Amino acid sequence: VFRKFEGGVMGSKYDDLSKIISEAMSLGREAAKNVDDGGTANNDRICISGLKGVRESALNNAGINCYKHWSFPGTFILSSSFGQGNKNCKGLSVALDHMKNNGVDCYMHWQMD
């Protein structure tokens, strides 16, 4: 669960989450710029957990580009990507670290082609 959301107003908590994700993606883009996009093509994504009862549309309306995880309630997959191989891995790793450091309950989904 995103600790900073506790006791907050419904709309503002998504705005906070949206801001942190936006910052994370910006940091990820910068980190990915300096990496060769070699390596295995993959479908790695960041998953946000602990949002049981939250609708996908509420997050998308807050500017969070994501979709509901197909089998885990309260888990959403961010749609962002930074490339195919090494660029994506580096960008997502930097973004994930930023999100975790800001209290977001999240993890990396790793999937190779």
Side-chain angles (χ1 to χ4, degrees), residues 25-39:
M25 293 304 141
S26 179
L27 291 168
R29 270 189 299 282
E30 285 301 311
K33 279 184 188 178
N34 302 316
V35 177
D36 177 43
D37 204 20

Side-chain angles (χ1 to χ4, degrees), residues 5 8-18 58-59 61-62 64:
F5 288 171
V9 177
M10 199 68 141
S12 66
K13 62 182 172 178
Y14 300 132
D15 292 342
D16 292 343
L17 180 59
S18 179
L59 296 176
N61 288 339
I64 300 169

Side-chain angles (χ1 to χ4, degrees), residues 24 27-29 31-32 82 86-96:
L27 291 168
R29 270 189 299 282
F82 300 100
N86 296 338
K87 279 184 176 290
N88 195 41
C89 186
K90 179 65 174 182
L92 289 174
S93 294
V94 168
L96 182 72

Side-chain angles (χ1 to χ4, degrees), residues 65-113:
N65 187 9
C66 66
Y67 52 96
K68 193 166 185 59
H69 194 285
W70 50 89
S71 60
F72 297 118
T75 301
F76 296 86
I77 302 169
L78 297 181
S79 301
S80 300
S81 175
F82 300 100
Q84 291 188 80
N86 296 338
K87 279 184 176 290
N88 195 41
C89 186
K90 179 65 174 182
L92 289 174
S93 294
V94 168
L96 182 72
D97 288 344
H98 179 77
M99 291 169 62
K100 283 185 172 186
N101 290 336
N102 282 278
V104 178
D105 181 4
C106 56
Y107 65 93
M108 185 75 73
H109 169 83
W110 302 97
Q111 181 177 335
M112 294 176 68
D113 286 355

